[in-house]
Amino acid sequence: MSNVPPPDRPGDEPSSSLSDAQWEAFLREAAEGGGGSAPKEPSARARMVTRRLREEGEATPWRAPQSPPQGGGRTRRRRVGAVVGVLVLAALALVAVRPSLVTDRLPGGGDDGSVTPLAAESARPTGAPGVPAEAERATREHPFRGSPAERWAEGADAIEVPQAKALSGLSEQDVAFALRRTKELLVAANLDPAVLRGERPDEALDVLDPKQPELLPKLRRSLSDPDEDHDPLRLFTRFDPHEARLVGDVVKVRGRMTLAAGEPGVVKVDADYTFVYPLVRANDADGPVARTIIRRHITLTLNDPARWNVTEGKLLMEKYFSEYGNTACDVYDGYLHPGFPDDDGPGGARPTGPLTDPYDRSRTLTGSEPGDCGQVTRT
């Protein structure tokens, strides 16, 4: 039950010797410290004026000097301010618990078309990056527009090498060498313009130890005579130069590299990166832009040649997993085949697998994923 006095009814109002205007003038003088005697029998309307003036006096800090508030407008402003304050505090609480809720959803950029770059990835994300409210179509001038990759770092600079340290009986210099060579392999296999055009990734192959059984012969076979069992795309990014080419020279990259000790005399370098390639048809001057997204998770090891039968200065490949977004299914010619917005879809077999967000880096790649060709939710 609310404690509200009953309204004045017609016929209950006592008479007054002053008008309401005189009452209001008197009350203002009293509030300013002036003299004057109050009427003895205020009317109901006079009491309402008194209450209104008292309320206006309480809201004085909010009032604009040139235009006093009308009808309690300042009270509404105060309530709005309180609600906004609560929302801001709630947002800050969420950021403290899960910063990606904000960092993955910041607006694209300012009036000059620039975008705010994301900080380097330091741990596995907790979920997929947000979807823009109105995803814009990519253009040749802005090939990453409408994509989370618009805010990613570019090219080799995006592959940041962690601080080296002595580990598992190997010196800091040895570990720094392993990190540097891992980056060189990633760059040579996924960013070298010649390799992207389909040429041999000799610099990437040079990182690997020829003493590792089967690996190099299998990779070389995949490059010279690809098929389903010998697919160079498992480690190298290659496009058919007669079919597609990069827009400009920027590839967006996001991921992280970590160190771990293996057996005595073994250091493991784990690298998990996603590469986004903007593409146009090779001979289409005005056609649309497509994006192909490749995620690679590899683990290389540096083994102490004093303890292991390895080649000094080379790395062993412990494992490598790959996932491709926007390429033809069941085509094993050694090239990626992107679909374009004005196509019915990528060529090859019809996708039968699950829907997948290629930008979702919270998922793990383990090599045990279904082999079916699925569909991407966005590119």
Side-chain angles (χ1 to χ4, degrees):
M1 175 180 289
S2 58
N3 185 18
V4 179
D8 293 310
R9 294 186 297 275
D12 289 346
E13 182 176 304
S15 61
S16 174
S17 58
L18 280 92
S19 68
D20 290 339
Q22 291 172 313
W23 262 99
E24 182 169 350
F26 164 77
L27 290 169
R28 287 190 186 279
E29 291 176 3
E32 294 171 359
S37 58
K40 294 184 170 119
E41 293 182 294
S43 67
R45 186 171 181 185
R47 293 195 299 271
M48 291 172 62
V49 172
T50 304
R51 285 196 301 269
R52 177 166 63 82
L53 290 172
R54 184 182 301 116
E55 290 169 357
E56 288 184 1
E58 293 172 352
T60 298
W62 292 84
R63 189 188 307 159
Q66 70 277 15
S67 56
Q70 300 293 325
R74 293 294 175 181
T75 303
R76 286 197 295 271
R77 281 187 60 180
R78 185 177 293 174
R79 287 178 182 170
V80 170
V83 172
V84 171
V86 170
L87 293 176
V88 170
L89 290 174
L92 291 174
L94 285 173
V95 174
V97 174
R98 186 173 168 189
S100 62
L101 286 172
V102 169
T103 57
D104 287 351
R105 290 164 172 78
L106 288 172
D111 295 337
D112 60 354
S114 63
V115 295
T116 306
L118 286 176
E121 186 177 285
S122 58
R124 177 173 295 159
T126 57
V131 179
E134 295 183 5
E136 298 180 87
R137 176 164 289 188
T139 66
R140 296 186 181 222
E141 294 76 21
H142 302 283
F144 299 99
R145 179 176 287 168
S147 159
E150 191 171 22
R151 298 179 57 213
W152 293 7
E154 300 176 3
D157 290 342
I159 303 176
E160 297 188 2
V161 174
Q163 181 67 42
K165 60 182 178 180
L167 200 63
S168 192
L170 293 172
S171 69
E172 180 180 332
Q173 291 73 21
D174 291 332
V175 175
F177 173 82
L179 292 167
R180 184 174 70 252
R181 292 295 274 167
T182 299
K183 176 172 179 173
E184 289 172 359
L185 185 145
L186 289 168
V187 171
N190 300 284
L191 297 173
D192 185 332
V195 174
L196 297 181
R197 292 193 301 267
E199 298 182 23
R200 285 179 60 87
D202 289 328
E203 291 185 18
L205 294 171
D206 186 61
V207 173
L208 302 173
D209 193 336
K211 290 186 177 181
Q212 184 168 2
E214 300 184 6
L215 178 65
L216 281 174
K218 188 171 184 178
L219 290 174
R220 291 191 177 105
R221 157 71 192 277
S222 73
L223 291 163
S224 61
D225 188 17
D227 58 31
E228 185 173 359
D229 294 325
H230 301 83
D231 187 354
L233 300 179
R234 293 173 185 170
L235 191 59
F236 310 114
T237 302
R238 307 168 81 235
F239 298 95
D240 185 341
H242 302 293
E243 179 185 345
R245 62 179 177 83
L246 282 180
V247 180
D249 57 1
V250 173
V251 175
K252 294 286 189 150
V253 185
R254 187 154 182 82
R256 63 193 180 279
M257 192 184 301
T258 56
L259 277 171
E263 298 176 63
V266 177
V267 169
K268 297 186 177 187
V269 182
D270 192 80
D272 182 351
Y273 285 90
T274 299
F275 302 84
V276 183
Y277 304 89
L279 302 152
V280 293
R281 294 187 182 93
N283 299 311
D284 189 349
D286 301 312
V289 175
R291 288 188 290 257
T292 290
I293 302 98
I294 311 295
R295 183 178 174 190
R296 302 203 184 274
H297 188 178
I298 67 174
T299 301
L300 296 168
T301 69
L302 177 66
N303 294 44
D304 184 354
R307 302 190 186 193
W308 299 85
N309 181 24
V310 295
T311 303
E312 186 171 1
K314 302 292 184 179
L315 304 183
L316 299 176
M317 180 73 72
E318 182 175 290
K319 61 185 179 183
Y320 57 109
F321 307 129
S322 296
E323 183 178 74
Y324 324 113
N326 188 25
T327 187
C329 295
D330 299 339
V331 178
Y332 302 103
D333 61 357
Y335 299 111
L336 295 155
H337 297 278
F340 288 85
D342 55 355
D343 291 337
D344 293 333
R350 183 180 180 83
T352 58
L355 290 171
T356 301
D357 183 349
Y359 292 98
D360 185 0
R361 293 187 41 77
S362 67
R363 298 178 294 107
T364 58
L365 297 184
T366 64
S368 60
E369 293 83 1
D372 293 338
C373 184
Q375 302 179 61
V376 293
T377 58
R378 55 179 170 174
T379 64

